[in-house]
PDB file of all heavy atoms in Angstrom:
ATOM      1  N   ARG A 157     -16.835  18.744 -10.454  1.00  0.00           N
ATOM      2  CA  ARG A 157     -18.097  18.989  -9.791  1.00  0.00           C
ATOM      3  C   ARG A 157     -18.079  18.465  -8.383  1.00  0.00           C
ATOM      4  O   ARG A 157     -18.612  19.089  -7.474  1.00  0.00           O
ATOM      5  CB  ARG A 157     -19.203  18.303 -10.641  1.00  0.00           C
ATOM      6  CG  ARG A 157     -19.494  19.048 -11.941  1.00  0.00           C
ATOM      7  CD  ARG A 157     -20.757  18.442 -12.633  1.00  0.00           C
ATOM      8  NE  ARG A 157     -20.427  17.201 -13.211  1.00  0.00           N
ATOM      9  CZ  ARG A 157     -19.987  17.091 -14.534  1.00  0.00           C
ATOM     10  NH1 ARG A 157     -19.844  18.173 -15.274  1.00  0.00           N
ATOM     11  NH2 ARG A 157     -19.851  15.909 -15.082  1.00  0.00           N
ATOM     12  N   GLY A 272     -22.261  14.424 -19.802  1.00  0.00           N
ATOM     13  CA  GLY A 272     -22.431  15.552 -18.916  1.00  0.00           C
ATOM     14  C   GLY A 272     -21.380  16.516 -19.055  1.00  0.00           C
ATOM     15  O   GLY A 272     -20.195  16.196 -18.989  1.00  0.00           O
ATOM     16  N   CYS A 273     -21.694  17.779 -19.334  1.00  0.00           N
ATOM     17  CA  CYS A 273     -20.582  18.841 -19.459  1.00  0.00           C
ATOM     18  C   CYS A 273     -21.166  20.227 -19.265  1.00  0.00           C
ATOM     19  O   CYS A 273     -22.383  20.416 -19.449  1.00  0.00           O
ATOM     20  CB  CYS A 273     -19.903  18.664 -20.807  1.00  0.00           C
ATOM     21  SG  CYS A 273     -20.906  18.941 -22.222  1.00  0.00           S
ATOM     22  N   THR A 274     -20.361  21.146 -19.083  1.00  0.00           N
ATOM     23  CA  THR A 274     -20.759  22.579 -19.031  1.00  0.00           C
ATOM     24  C   THR A 274     -20.594  23.156 -20.422  1.00  0.00           C
ATOM     25  O   THR A 274     -20.055  22.503 -21.325  1.00  0.00           O
ATOM     26  CB  THR A 274     -19.838  23.383 -18.085  1.00  0.00           C
ATOM     27  OG1 THR A 274     -18.520  23.387 -18.548  1.00  0.00           O
ATOM     28  CG2 THR A 274     -19.848  22.765 -16.691  1.00  0.00           C
ATOM     29  N   THR A 275     -21.036  24.376 -20.601  1.00  0.00           N
ATOM     30  CA  THR A 275     -20.950  25.033 -21.951  1.00  0.00           C
ATOM     31  C   THR A 275     -19.427  25.220 -22.330  1.00  0.00           C
ATOM     32  O   THR A 275     -19.115  24.928 -23.491  1.00  0.00           O
ATOM     33  CB  THR A 275     -21.624  26.375 -21.937  1.00  0.00           C
ATOM     34  OG1 THR A 275     -23.043  26.194 -21.581  1.00  0.00           O
ATOM     35  CG2 THR A 275     -21.520  27.045 -23.338  1.00  0.00           C
ATOM     36  N   GLU A 277     -16.924  23.371 -21.373  1.00  0.00           N
ATOM     37  CA  GLU A 277     -16.397  21.997 -21.670  1.00  0.00           C
ATOM     38  C   GLU A 277     -16.864  21.558 -23.070  1.00  0.00           C
ATOM     39  O   GLU A 277     -16.106  20.987 -23.857  1.00  0.00           O
ATOM     40  CB  GLU A 277     -16.764  21.013 -20.577  1.00  0.00           C
ATOM     41  CG  GLU A 277     -16.118  21.229 -19.285  1.00  0.00           C
ATOM     42  CD  GLU A 277     -16.869  20.536 -18.131  1.00  0.00           C
ATOM     43  OE1 GLU A 277     -17.957  19.886 -18.369  1.00  0.00           O
ATOM     44  OE2 GLU A 277     -16.291  20.565 -16.940  1.00  0.00           O
ATOM     45  N   THR A 303     -31.076  18.529 -21.392  1.00  0.00           N
ATOM     46  CA  THR A 303     -31.610  19.554 -20.417  1.00  0.00           C
ATOM     47  C   THR A 303     -30.470  20.348 -19.879  1.00  0.00           C
ATOM     48  O   THR A 303     -29.282  19.911 -19.932  1.00  0.00           O
ATOM     49  CB  THR A 303     -32.296  18.821 -19.181  1.00  0.00           C
ATOM     50  OG1 THR A 303     -31.402  17.980 -18.502  1.00  0.00           O
ATOM     51  CG2 THR A 303     -33.491  17.973 -19.669  1.00  0.00           C
ATOM     52  N   THR A 304     -30.806  21.532 -19.382  1.00  0.00           N
ATOM     53  CA  THR A 304     -29.751  22.469 -18.899  1.00  0.00           C
ATOM     54  C   THR A 304     -30.189  22.999 -17.509  1.00  0.00           C
ATOM     55  O   THR A 304     -31.389  23.288 -17.351  1.00  0.00           O
ATOM     56  CB  THR A 304     -29.603  23.605 -19.884  1.00  0.00           C
ATOM     57  OG1 THR A 304     -29.239  23.176 -21.152  1.00  0.00           O
ATOM     58  CG2 THR A 304     -28.608  24.627 -19.414  1.00  0.00           C
ATOM     59  N   GLN A 305     -29.234  23.011 -16.653  1.00  0.00           N
ATOM     60  CA  GLN A 305     -29.424  23.629 -15.363  1.00  0.00           C
ATOM     61  C   GLN A 305     -28.259  24.312 -14.856  1.00  0.00           C
ATOM     62  O   GLN A 305     -27.155  24.046 -15.300  1.00  0.00           O
ATOM     63  CB  GLN A 305     -29.805  22.522 -14.337  1.00  0.00           C
ATOM     64  CG  GLN A 305     -28.806  21.463 -14.146  1.00  0.00           C
ATOM     65  CD  GLN A 305     -29.154  20.373 -13.103  1.00  0.00           C
ATOM     66  OE1 GLN A 305     -29.933  20.678 -12.194  1.00  0.00           O
ATOM     67  NE2 GLN A 305     -28.599  19.195 -13.237  1.00  0.00           N
ATOM     68  N   ARG A 306     -28.464  25.437 -14.108  1.00  0.00           N
ATOM     69  CA  ARG A 306     -27.347  26.198 -13.641  1.00  0.00           C
ATOM     70  C   ARG A 306     -26.860  25.644 -12.357  1.00  0.00           C
ATOM     71  O   ARG A 306     -27.602  25.320 -11.418  1.00  0.00           O
ATOM     72  CB  ARG A 306     -27.789  27.663 -13.423  1.00  0.00           C
ATOM     73  CG  ARG A 306     -26.697  28.565 -13.011  1.00  0.00           C
ATOM     74  CD  ARG A 306     -27.143  30.010 -13.157  1.00  0.00           C
ATOM     75  NE  ARG A 306     -27.374  30.383 -14.549  1.00  0.00           N
ATOM     76  CZ  ARG A 306     -26.529  30.737 -15.471  1.00  0.00           C
ATOM     77  NH1 ARG A 306     -25.197  30.758 -15.111  1.00  0.00           N
ATOM     78  NH2 ARG A 306     -26.788  31.048 -16.670  1.00  0.00           N
ATOM     79  N   ARG A 307     -25.516  25.470 -12.275  1.00  0.00           N
ATOM     80  CA  ARG A 307     -24.883  24.945 -11.048  1.00  0.00           C
ATOM     81  C   ARG A 307     -23.839  25.918 -10.646  1.00  0.00           C
ATOM     82  O   ARG A 307     -22.719  26.017 -11.313  1.00  0.00           O
ATOM     83  CB  ARG A 307     -24.366  23.542 -11.231  1.00  0.00           C
ATOM     84  CG  ARG A 307     -23.613  22.975 -10.053  1.00  0.00           C
ATOM     85  CD  ARG A 307     -23.220  21.566 -10.230  1.00  0.00           C
ATOM     86  NE  ARG A 307     -24.269  20.574 -10.277  1.00  0.00           N
ATOM     87  CZ  ARG A 307     -24.131  19.308 -10.292  1.00  0.00           C
ATOM     88  NH1 ARG A 307     -22.987  18.801 -10.265  1.00  0.00           N
ATOM     89  NH2 ARG A 307     -25.205  18.538 -10.365  1.00  0.00           N
ATOM     90  N   ALA A 310     -21.764  28.067 -13.325  1.00  0.00           N
ATOM     91  CA  ALA A 310     -21.729  27.336 -14.673  1.00  0.00           C
ATOM     92  C   ALA A 310     -23.018  26.841 -15.110  1.00  0.00           C
ATOM     93  O   ALA A 310     -24.031  26.723 -14.281  1.00  0.00           O
ATOM     94  CB  ALA A 310     -20.724  26.143 -14.558  1.00  0.00           C
ATOM     95  N   VAL A 311     -23.116  26.440 -16.359  1.00  0.00           N
ATOM     96  CA  VAL A 311     -24.418  25.883 -16.895  1.00  0.00           C
ATOM     97  C   VAL A 311     -24.072  24.414 -17.274  1.00  0.00           C
ATOM     98  O   VAL A 311     -23.168  24.185 -18.094  1.00  0.00           O
ATOM     99  CB  VAL A 311     -24.925  26.582 -18.126  1.00  0.00           C
ATOM    100  CG1 VAL A 311     -26.089  25.935 -18.733  1.00  0.00           C
ATOM    101  CG2 VAL A 311     -25.241  28.079 -17.748  1.00  0.00           C
ATOM    102  N   LEU A 312     -24.747  23.457 -16.659  1.00  0.00           N
ATOM    103  CA  LEU A 312     -24.550  22.032 -16.891  1.00  0.00           C
ATOM    104  C   LEU A 312     -25.500  21.392 -17.824  1.00  0.00           C
ATOM    105  O   LEU A 312     -26.749  21.639 -17.574  1.00  0.00           O
ATOM    106  CB  LEU A 312     -24.555  21.329 -15.536  1.00  0.00           C
ATOM    107  CG  LEU A 312     -24.300  19.809 -15.597  1.00  0.00           C
ATOM    108  CD1 LEU A 312     -22.887  19.497 -16.064  1.00  0.00           C
ATOM    109  CD2 LEU A 312     -24.560  19.190 -14.204  1.00  0.00           C
ATOM    110  N   HIS A 313     -25.088  20.763 -18.805  1.00  0.00           N
ATOM    111  CA  HIS A 313     -25.920  20.156 -19.749  1.00  0.00           C
ATOM    112  C   HIS A 313     -25.955  18.590 -19.550  1.00  0.00           C
ATOM    113  O   HIS A 313     -24.876  17.999 -19.420  1.00  0.00           O
ATOM    114  CB  HIS A 313     -25.481  20.397 -21.182  1.00  0.00           C
ATOM    115  CG  HIS A 313     -25.362  21.854 -21.520  1.00  0.00           C
ATOM    116  ND1 HIS A 313     -26.410  22.774 -21.637  1.00  0.00           N
ATOM    117  CD2 HIS A 313     -24.248  22.645 -21.744  1.00  0.00           C
ATOM    118  CE1 HIS A 313     -26.003  23.898 -21.948  1.00  0.00           C
ATOM    119  NE2 HIS A 313     -24.634  23.919 -21.972  1.00  0.00           N
ATOM    120  N   THR A 314     -27.075  17.942 -19.641  1.00  0.00           N
ATOM    121  CA  THR A 314     -27.171  16.547 -19.495  1.00  0.00           C
ATOM    122  C   THR A 314     -28.165  16.020 -20.562  1.00  0.00           C
ATOM    123  O   THR A 314     -29.089  16.670 -21.010  1.00  0.00           O
ATOM    124  CB  THR A 314     -27.711  16.042 -18.149  1.00  0.00           C
ATOM    125  OG1 THR A 314     -28.965  16.718 -17.817  1.00  0.00           O
ATOM    126  CG2 THR A 314     -26.683  16.464 -17.057  1.00  0.00           C
TER     127      THR A 314
END
Side-chain angles (χ1 to χ4, degrees):
R157 288 190 283 271
C273 63
T274 65
T275 301
E277 292 163 353
T303 61
T304 299
Q305 59 180 332
R306 186 167 294 278
R307 177 176 291 188
V311 174
L312 179 65
H313 306 291
T314 55

